[in-house]
Amino acid sequence: MKIPLPLGLCAMLFAAVSVFAQPAPQDNWTLDFSFPGASTNGRFNRPGNVAVGPGGRIVVADSGNSRIQVFDATGAFLLRFGSSAVGNSQLGDRGLAVAVAADGKIVVADRSSKQIKIFNADGSFVRAFGSEGTGTGQFGEPSGVAITATGRIVVSDALYCRIQVFEGDGTFVRMWGSGGTLDVQFRHPMGVMIDVDGNIVVADDVLPRLSVFTVDGVFVRKWVPASGVIALAPLTGGRIVALDQGRHLVVIFGPDGVVERTWGSEGSGGGQFLQPGDIAVASDGNILVCDTRNNRIQFYTENGIYLHQFGELGGPSDGFGDSIRGIEADADGRIYVTDSTSGFPTIQIFSSNGAPIDQMYLQDDKPATVKIGPTGRIYAADTFDADAGGIRVYEGSVVPSRTIGFGTPGSGNGQFGSSGAYVTTAIDANGDIYATDPGNGRVQVFGADGAFLRKFGAPGSGPGQLSQANGIALTPDGRVVVSGGANLNYFTKAGVFIEATSGGGQRLHTIGPDGIYYYFSTSISSPVTGSPSCAGVNVRTGALYSYDVTSRRVQVWRRGFRTLGTQPAALVPMPGIRAVAQRPNGYIDIDYSVNDGDSATVTTALAAFRGGSVYIRDMVPLAGASLVEGTAAKVGAGIATGAVHRVTWNPAGSGLSSGDLVFEVFAWDARPKLLDMDFITLPTTPALTISRIPFTHADFRAAWAWLLLQAEPGLTRASDGEIAGPGGAFTVSGVETRTTAAGRSWLFAKLGVREATAAEVTAARKATAANTPNQYPRSATQRMGDRPRVVNEWGFDSDGYGTDAWWVVPL
């Protein structure tokens, strides 16, 4: 269901977004990227229906997760699409039925929205039709769907007791059925299928009855099974395999309706089911059973012999839940996020660029903070049970390899007191664990094997007293810092109290390699605003991670400062949305500001992104008549920096009446180029002038957004987000974050540069070295979050970007 704008507070992007690729030479922060929660590929929450498509692909309606998952014939995951978010791919959680056409298109009957939605084989949205009601093309409970040989879509409606037929484009063809017991009536029509003769077979689990009709709706015959059948699929020789949900049985009927074979019972073992929801026939003739409450798909031979299965329990929604408590990174840059959402507590693991790697379901554990040891061990502090807190240690398994604490609260070694406060941890280079124990007013230290080593601190709220301890970290010079109350308390590793300073009002998370203190809610010098619930830092790169509870995304920030290479003359403007609020009349007030240390005024542009998206295809400019109450003058040229500007937008003026929105602000401070470049001259043979840091797709995306908002002549934007201009497509259709070769060439020409050749990049890497790349890991004075990656002695950022990075040289 779409959320009307006046009822659903718009999503907000609290970020500094610049159209310039390179950061300023001063210390500042920019949002590098953000990402949603981990994929739960191959995990289900009440999968309701299954279908088989061309090539044996298995399509599963993962109803409880509001999505469709697609697997190959063996059950290996291929792709997924759909979510509970507002938009074309929104799918409800009240039940989904699926069918696959001969061309691979996937047709989904969604009971929540009362719609039929059609997707391409790759999961991209094609069209939707239908609404709630009793008219033609309307539904009460679309419960089954099938596709004829000519591509017509057949839908059963369990609530209104009828069958409707549509063309593939959603055009209504015919309808028959009503409530009753006559041959053309139904009580609760569920599954539908097309038999070998092209007839439509309907399973009514209340009468109970299987009824056969021609494609024109003419009754052919019927037969009565022993009990209700909810789903059915065609077998060879005119036979039908059906699912008797109430008796947990698979039933095979001969062409005459006589039962040939049954198997199954209630349970969770092989050959057993818990509320099975659907049945299908695989490309090799084996039978697939969608075992709903066991969250799996089972494979059987026609003789009922169990073969194998795939699937397990997955979260109630894709992405993060509503209780993110900790973020951490390991030595390889992998990001760990603890999600304590009730019922599905997890540790989600991502690559350094936000790609999901794994998701550890921790059963009844509820981790609040996470730390990664030097050998990759995961230390999760469970702080939700105030009477029995402690630490669980994981080593590649959802089963803890050891636990520290828990059980009965106490003051003995290895016990934790009952205070209701957080147990937090820090891990040193040896793997020793430093854990706060606020219930006893102390820190306990354990070895990597969990053995108790020592304790220090005292109860109370004064200097060196730790009853209010709520965070702990280790400084680069080896001291232990504990936050709590109004103090930061410093100890040696041996536990000798050194001093107390002010600043303990927030929960200390960790201390970066540069000495910056990072707290759960924010960092002393970070840009994190909005609604963060926690923050973490990559102690190797200095990248900052925060979780924004408004957008349910982890945001990755990079801290930009450089000491090598020629630096730009002007500072990069730092724009950001400060507040968004909607009035009862539908108007939306957006407050924004731009910080720029050497510019008094800038040119700005504002945009809204429909459906909670950040894709350019969903971008709506905030300009012209849609800005009301005279606020159009507060966007454009001559906007003062260092001040908050309010604009008032009427979304109806842009044709928007419902849905989530993300807002973004862009700024330009009249520097000569659209994208900021830092060139350096390297002493190769001959000398080479080249950009110090490459451009990436993320840099181009901001440039395209700015150009579109400024109505750049010659640029057009299609409905799928593809940007075109002179010479062809400049971005990839449907994936506007990817710029094509033609788009790069056009941008580079506009910038007065060309792409560096492979030989020039190789020469830049080598610099003065004759034969081999002359590269060094970044140091404290040669980094910018994740950029630069690897530098030579001249400051050229040379590696670690893969193939999607482009250095340029001036024309």
Side-chain angles (χ1 to χ4, degrees), residues 479-490:
R479 293 174 295 163
V480 182
V481 186
V482 185
S483 63
N487 298 317
L488 286 175
N489 296 283
Y490 291 81

Side-chain angles (χ1 to χ4, degrees), residues 67-231:
R67 65 183 178 189
I68 303 298
Q69 296 198 62
V70 183
F71 306 84
D72 69 13
T74 68
F77 175 81
L78 296 176
L79 62 97
R80 60 187 173 89
F81 60 89
S83 71
S84 59
V86 175
N88 289 332
S89 295
Q90 178 194 22
L91 297 172
D93 62 359
R94 292 180 53 197
L96 306 170
V98 291
V100 185
D103 62 359
K105 283 190 173 64
I106 299 170
V107 180
V108 182
D110 186 351
R111 295 185 191 179
S112 297
S113 66
K114 320 297 182 186
Q115 283 188 314
I116 306 300
K117 293 198 170 187
I118 303 173
F119 301 86
N120 288 317
D122 62 1
S124 58
F125 176 78
V126 177
R127 68 177 60 90
F129 61 89
S131 61
E132 184 171 10
T134 58
T136 58
Q138 293 184 309
F139 308 100
E141 187 178 323
S143 52
V145 63
I147 302 174
T148 69
T150 60
R152 285 181 170 175
I153 300 170
V154 182
V155 183
S156 61
D157 190 331
L159 181 61
Y160 295 136
C161 301
R162 62 187 183 179
I163 304 296
Q164 295 190 71
V165 181
F166 305 87
E167 298 289 359
D169 62 1
T171 302
F172 175 79
V173 177
R174 67 178 54 89
M175 174 177 66
W176 70 89
S178 60
T181 60
L182 299 178
D183 290 342
V184 292
Q185 292 182 313
F186 310 98
R187 286 289 179 83
H188 198 248
M190 290 290 290
V192 292
M193 60 161 265
I194 311 301
D195 69 12
V196 292
D197 299 319
N199 292 321
I200 299 170
V201 185
V202 183
D204 189 320
D205 65 328
V206 172
L207 280 174
R209 189 168 66 191
L210 297 179
S211 303
V212 183
F213 303 88
T214 68
V215 292
D216 297 321
V218 177
F219 175 77
V220 176
R221 65 190 178 99
K222 64 184 177 184
W223 70 92
V224 179
S227 63
V229 168
I230 66 162

Side-chain angles (χ1 to χ4, degrees), residues 430-519:
N430 299 319
D432 290 348
I433 308 162
Y434 294 74
T436 59
D437 180 7
N440 289 310
R442 64 186 181 182
V443 168
Q444 297 192 72
V445 186
F446 304 89
D449 59 358
F452 175 83
L453 298 179
R454 59 187 175 275
K455 59 191 175 185
F456 56 84
S461 58
Q465 297 177 329
L466 305 179
S467 291
Q468 296 179 343
N470 56 20
I472 188 170
L474 301 173
T475 67
D477 60 4
R479 293 174 295 163
V480 182
V481 186
V482 185
S483 63
N487 298 317
L488 286 175
N489 296 283
Y490 291 81
F491 299 85
T492 67
K493 279 190 172 184
V496 178
F497 176 67
I498 302 172
E499 63 176 333
T501 63
S502 61
Q506 301 179 79
R507 293 195 301 273
L508 179 64
H509 179 78
T510 193
I511 299 174
D514 48 10
I516 294 292
Y517 285 50
Y518 294 87
Y519 295 88

Side-chain angles (χ1 to χ4, degrees), residues 619-667:
M619 184 176 73
V620 178
L622 271 60
S626 67
L627 293 182
V628 296
E629 300 179 354
T631 59
K634 297 182 179 181
V635 177
I639 303 301
T641 59
V644 177
H645 305 279
R646 170 164 293 183
V647 297
T648 302
W649 179 53
N650 178 12
S654 299
L656 299 179
S657 60
S658 63
D660 293 334
L661 296 172
V662 172
F663 294 92
E664 194 165 352
V665 59
F666 300 82

